Each structure stands twice: as structure tokens, then as C-alpha cells.
Amino acid sequence: RTQNRLDVPAKLVKAINAFLQIEKERGIGGKTEFVLTPTAKRIWTACDLARESQTPVFVTGVSHIGKTEALTNYARNNNHGRTIYIRMKAASGLGGMVRKIAVSLGISDKSCTANLLDYIQRALTADMLLIFDEVHLLQYTYRLASFFACMEVLRELLDNAKCGAVLCGTELLLEKMRAGEHKEMEQLMRRGVHRFPLPAMPTTGDLTAILNSLGLEFPDRKLEVTVKNVTDRPYEVLRQLAKRDGLKSITERLRYGRKIAAKRKAALSWESFVEAHCIIAANGEVSGNGGWE
């Protein structure tokens, strides 16, 4: 035992400084807050209708259009222990799905599937709303019939509880269910009277709401911005990103643009947005020949 103070390891200091730098950069860019866009409102309407009708409601749409953000925010704003958000996982099978539901309901998953189903059924009440997100992932499993088994178990749980549910996923969800519509999936498909297909890409209404929340107006088609000898039209950048990559690609450029502007002690502008777009696009390009002569 000694009274001498030990030096802090250099690796630890380096790791702490790296962590603090990332947190600083994150703080400068600011957090991307949830905005109730027209598409998000449609998803919230589906949730309200599921609770009211006490039936399963299907919400389907392409990836990165804001489904998960809308659902998680709905759950937070309508909780009181009666709105339960459950995110499905790929390759989990029936047992994995049941454990996921149990944990989301505050039930220990340290039991067999049959017992967990009994515990879940006792925990469910008619005034609950269950939100199942990424349901299409249940089809990625080693057993061919596992998806239909999972969906049938969900149907039985909902039938017995008489509660509402939102089943959300990509278009693959209904495609997979329609494959068994007159066989395994007939009962669930007939109960799911209300169906909410979402737009194929973020709409101008969605982007207008997000931009307005950040102090920007939706850009005119002819507006041009020049950054470092690169001239681009924000309207075209938004349109191409929305069509090709979805909402996240746009909100991340807005966040990065805010960081660029903040470092210059300025507000977010189309110039900083286009600069962020150029930086992100350049990062995605391959440079050099990979060492080949």
C-alpha cells in the first residue's frame, strides 16, 4: 500500500478526450427533435383508431419514412401504462417474439414460452394499445412456418384481451400475410379492417413541417446556392434524397448543417445545408486506387 498518486494511463486519457470531443460535436449540431409531420399524423390516427376500435390496424410503408419515430413518440405521449411499444427482431422465432413482448410488459422472460404466454395474457387488458413495430422482420427465421406461427399467436393474444394493436412494417408485411390470407392468415387479415399505407417517399408536407421547425422555408425550385465552387439547388437535393434514401438522409444533413452554421455563430441556412450535403457525399466516394498500380 502506498500514498503515491498513480498516473492516469495515457490510453484512458485519450479515450476520455475522444469521448468528450464527440459529445461536444453532438451538442453543437443539436438534437433532431420529433416533428409531427402529415405522415406522422397519419400514423398517430392509426394508433388512435386501433385503441378506439380494439382491433389490429396495419401500418405499412417504405423504410426511413418516419414510422418508428412516430410510433415511439405516440407511445411516450399516450403512455400511462396503457400504450406498449414493442420492436420485433429478425431471426428470433416464436420464442424470441414472446420474450420480447413479455419484457415490454414488465414481465420476466425467465420462463418457457408456454408459461410466458399465460403471463402475457393475464397482463393484457381491453384498454391497452399494443404497438408492434418492424413486424416484417419476423419472416427472417430458420423455420419456414415460424412467421405464420408468430402472427397466429398475436391474433390469439389480441382476441382474448380484446385490446387494440398496431402492426407496423414495410410492404413486405402485407405481402407475406397475403401469401397465407386464405390459409394461416385468414382470421388476422379479416380482423385488420383498418389499413394505413404510407407514401412511397417523404412528402413536401413532411419536409415543410421539418424545415419550418428549424427556421427554414421550403425552397423554391429555382433557388441556387454556391458553396466552395459547387452550385446546387436545395429543392433538387431534397427531392433526390427523399426519393433515393428517405427521411433520415435529409434530417442528418440538416443536423450537420446546423453544426456548420453554429461553428460560424450563424443560423441554419441553405448554404450550410448544401455544404453539409457536399461533405457527406464526398465521404461516401472512394478515393485513390486501393493500392493497385
Side-chain angles (χ1 to χ4, degrees):
R1 193 172 178 181
T2 177
Q3 299 296 324
N4 295 332
R5 181 176 294 179
L6 298 176
D7 291 334
V8 179
K11 287 185 178 180
L12 178 59
V13 173
K14 184 178 179 180
I16 291 173
N17 287 333
F19 170 78
L20 291 175
Q21 184 60 34
I22 290 174
E23 290 300 306
K24 181 180 177 181
E25 293 291 324
R26 207 175 266 148
I28 292 172
K31 183 181 178 182
T32 302
E33 299 292 340
F34 172 72
V35 177
L36 190 58
T37 64
T39 296
K41 286 180 182 178
R42 182 168 172 79
I43 294 171
W44 280 27
T45 298
C47 293
D48 288 338
L49 192 53
R51 187 191 302 278
E52 172 196 329
S53 65
Q54 296 175 294
T55 64
V57 172
F58 293 100
V59 175
T60 54
V62 296
S63 61
H64 295 288
I65 199 170
K67 299 188 299 296
T68 296
E69 282 293 311
L71 291 173
T72 54
N73 274 275
Y74 182 91
R76 280 195 290 269
N77 284 279
N78 298 269
N79 194 358
H80 312 300
R82 290 291 172 256
T83 301
I84 310 297
Y85 174 84
I86 307 163
R87 187 182 178 95
M88 297 290 99
K89 292 176 63 177
S92 60
L94 178 60
M97 182 195 77
V98 170
R99 286 193 295 274
K100 189 75 173 177
I101 297 172
V103 170
S104 299
L105 288 167
I107 300 169
S108 171
D109 62 350
K110 307 302 181 184
S111 191
C112 67
T113 299
N115 285 343
L116 286 177
L117 283 172
D118 286 338
Y119 303 152
I120 291 169
Q121 198 69 77
R122 293 175 199 167
L124 296 178
T125 56
D127 59 346
M128 279 185 170
L129 173 65
L130 303 181
I131 299 176
F132 298 98
D133 195 9
E134 306 284 12
V135 180
H136 62 280
L137 293 180
L138 292 174
Q139 68 179 302
Y140 300 117
T141 182
Y142 61 92
R143 286 183 54 224
L144 184 62
S146 180
F147 174 80
F148 297 122
C150 289
M151 300 308 290
E152 181 59 19
V153 166
L154 287 182
R155 180 202 63 77
E156 187 174 355
L157 287 172
L158 297 175
D159 274 2
N160 291 335
K162 300 293 188 295
C163 65
V166 172
L167 281 70
C168 182
T170 66
E171 294 93 333
L172 293 174
L173 172 59
L174 286 182
E175 287 179 15
K176 183 71 173 180
M177 292 187 69
R178 287 189 181 109
E181 186 171 359
H182 302 296
K183 297 176 184 177
E184 299 94 335
M185 294 292 94
E186 181 178 13
Q187 292 188 72
L188 184 55
M189 290 290 284
R190 289 188 174 184
R191 283 163 175 74
V193 175
H194 300 289
R195 300 176 188 180
F196 284 73
L198 302 177
M201 59 188 280
T203 66
T204 56
D206 294 337
L207 296 181
T208 298
I210 292 170
L211 292 171
N212 289 349
S213 74
L214 297 173
L216 287 178
E217 296 292 330
F218 193 84
D220 184 89
R221 288 171 179 262
K222 297 180 180 179
L223 174 66
E224 290 188 343
V225 171
T226 300
V227 177
K228 298 180 180 178
N229 299 320
V230 175
T231 299
D232 219 330
R233 293 184 177 182
Y235 177 91
E236 279 302 313
V237 174
L238 291 173
R239 187 184 67 82
Q240 292 172 16
L241 290 173
K243 184 177 182 180
R244 186 187 65 206
D245 299 320
L247 199 56
K248 181 63 176 178
S249 66
I250 295 172
T251 57
E252 176 55 20
R253 281 162 172 80
L254 289 168
R255 185 200 68 80
Y256 204 103
R258 276 190 293 173
K259 185 176 82 168
I260 292 171
K263 287 185 175 181
R264 295 168 182 164
K265 297 183 179 179
L268 174 66
S269 65
W270 286 118
E271 285 76 13
S272 58
F273 171 82
V274 169
E275 185 174 349
H277 171 63
C278 291
I279 292 171
I280 292 172
N283 288 341
E285 295 175 357
V286 177
S287 59
N289 58 15
W292 292 90
E293 298 296 334

